[in-house]
């Protein structure tokens, strides 16, 4: 597990290096001769955070290897780590990600998001009424922030276009 954490830390640092490499091509944001945070700001901030976490994983794992301490879960058998319930949850999340875009293109963002997130929560053992309530609140919040506040057009869906005529 510690070697995997070291490799993960190296991966994070390499990913940050790629972000820096491609981010340098973003234009600078200058107003009246002043350089302000522009399109580079978010990717570079993300890259710095990835580097910090990568260094953390590498140092922590190297210290654990040097002290010869194994993580608690390293002694657990493979069969105990991967249960049928866990595999079902992974498949449900992947399926919801794959089918989310076609569903919102057909039903629209609001109805499609409520349905997909409700089904996903039910599969992940949330009670039906709670999953519908949480999904509705989540969808309304996303719609208010992105659709209303930021004015980003969200998919209306084929069904809404047919209803409107």
């Amino acid at each position: 597990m510690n070697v995997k954490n070291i490799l993960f830390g190296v991966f994070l640092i390499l990913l940050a290096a790629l972000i820096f490499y491609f981010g340098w091509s973003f234009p600078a944001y200058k107003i009246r001769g002043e350089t302000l945070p522009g399109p580079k700001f978010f990717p570079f901030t993300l890259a710095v955070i990835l580097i910090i976490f990568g260094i953390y994983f590498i140092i922590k794992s190297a210290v654990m290897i040097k002290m010869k301490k194994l993580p608690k879960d390293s002694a657990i058998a493979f069969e105990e780590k991967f249960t049928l319930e866990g595999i079902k949850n992974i498949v449900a999340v992947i399926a919801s990600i794959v089918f989310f875009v076609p569903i919102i293109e057909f039903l629209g963002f609001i109805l499609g998001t409520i349905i997909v997130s409700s089904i996903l929560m039910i599969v992940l053992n949330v009670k039906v009424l709670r999953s519908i309530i949480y999904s509705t609140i989540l969808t309304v919040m996303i719609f208010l922030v992105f659709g209303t506040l930021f004015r980003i057009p969200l998919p209306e869906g084929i069904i809404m276009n047919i209803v409107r005529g």
Side-chain angles (χ1 to χ4, degrees), residues 30-35:
K30 292 185 179 182
I31 294 180
R32 296 182 196 107
E34 255 187 87
T35 303

Side-chain angles (χ1 to χ4, degrees), residues 102-122:
I103 287 173
I104 65 170
E105 287 295 324
F106 183 71
L107 296 176
F109 176 79
I110 295 174
L111 186 59
T113 303
I114 291 172
I115 291 171
V116 169
S117 61
S118 293
I119 291 172
L120 184 60
M121 285 188 208
I122 291 168

Side-chain angles (χ1 to χ4, degrees), residues 24-78:
W24 284 118
S25 64
F26 293 170
Y29 188 66
K30 292 185 179 182
I31 294 180
R32 296 182 196 107
E34 255 187 87
T35 303
L36 301 172
K40 292 180 182 181
F41 178 73
F42 179 73
F44 282 13
T45 304
L46 178 65
V48 168
I49 292 170
L50 288 175
I51 289 171
I52 291 169
F53 279 118
I55 291 170
Y56 167 76
F57 273 105
I58 292 170
I59 291 173
K60 181 182 176 196
S61 297
V63 168
M64 294 294 276
I65 289 173
K66 189 164 186 149
M67 294 175 59
K68 296 185 181 183
K69 284 189 175 181
L70 292 175
K72 293 178 184 174
D73 67 343
S74 63
I76 299 174
F78 178 80

Side-chain angles (χ1 to χ4, degrees), residues 71-117:
K72 293 178 184 174
D73 67 343
S74 63
I76 299 174
F78 178 80
E79 295 80 21
E80 293 176 15
K81 287 182 182 178
F82 295 100
T83 62
L84 185 60
E85 182 74 17
I87 293 171
K88 179 189 80 162
N89 292 345
I90 292 170
V91 169
V93 169
I94 292 172
S96 67
I97 291 169
V98 168
F99 291 113
F100 180 66
V101 172
I103 287 173
I104 65 170
E105 287 295 324
F106 183 71
L107 296 176
F109 176 79
I110 295 174
L111 186 59
T113 303
I114 291 172
I115 291 171
V116 169
S117 61

